Amino acid sequence: MNSNYTGVWLLLTCALAVVVLVSFLDDITIGEWTIKKAPIAETLFPEQNSEYDDIQKNLAYLDSLHNEEIEINEVVVDSMPKSILLFGDSMTLNLAYRLSKYAKQNGHDLHSINWDSSNTKIWAETDTLSHYLKEFKPDYIFISLGSNEVYFKNPEKRMPYVKKILAMIGNIPYVWIGPPNWNEDTKINDMLEATCAPGTFFRSQGMSFKRKKDNIHPTRASSALWMDSIMRWLPKSAHPILADLPDDSLKNVPNKVVFLKALH
């Protein structure tokens, strides 16, 4: 009786062999008919996609400015003392007061440049930044620019100036501190974040500040809390450095601030 099924089993075996064989081939087209490739081969012998695996393991991203691949899965804090430069518009001064205490606490050296009413265009089209880069030779930079461009209708037109500033900075690690919005902007923050390298832009928009009588500039105390927030975020940035909270005993720390006159 078993012999009655021998032919059937042989037929089924042949059919299975054909299906498996076809699964290793590309789609087959006969006239208007197409036999789609079966996923059997992929199931039995999954292809190893090393590129995908590497991305998943390393969580690497592309530095948009220098076209360098930086691994951020295990960011290591740079424990070496830094020569820090903080530069920007009138928001810079009160940030410098607090940052100077962080510098003292963590063994860094800080120089600050406060240029009232300045913006990305002014910094990009003058030799001011190049001059102070040569003078102070920083190996870490904080930028506070954008407040005087919050209401620009076409912030994308400022992108070339931002790129030029970043080009002048070159390979020096930096953090761009976004403006402390007092009203909704016209996407200046979005433009800055898109132009800066990943992990280098701190968005201040949406934070709550106590402000001076002009209702624009944060008070010194509020600016200190602002800087505290930046330094708490720093370990998540692309280039973290030592940023331990200053000891309460650090009362009067000298501030090396250069004041530049506004351009009219």
Side-chain angles (χ1 to χ4, degrees), residues 163-182:
K163 288 183 176 180
K164 188 171 181 180
I165 291 171
L166 296 179
M168 284 191 277
I169 290 173
N171 292 319
I172 303 173
Y174 68 91
V175 169
W176 194 301
I177 304 170
N181 287 40
W182 48 98

Side-chain angles (χ1 to χ4, degrees), residues 143-154:
I143 307 164
S144 177
L145 284 172
S147 294
N148 293 313
E149 295 154 288
V150 165
Y151 294 132
F152 277 42
K153 292 183 178 180
N154 300 301

Side-chain angles (χ1 to χ4, degrees), residues 121-146:
K121 184 176 187 292
I122 291 174
W123 281 93
E125 292 187 339
T126 63
D127 63 354
T128 303
L129 179 55
S130 297
H131 169 78
Y132 286 109
L133 288 174
K134 292 178 182 177
E135 180 175 346
F136 298 134
K137 296 179 175 58
D139 48 24
Y140 204 93
I141 294 176
F142 287 90
I143 307 164
S144 177
L145 284 172

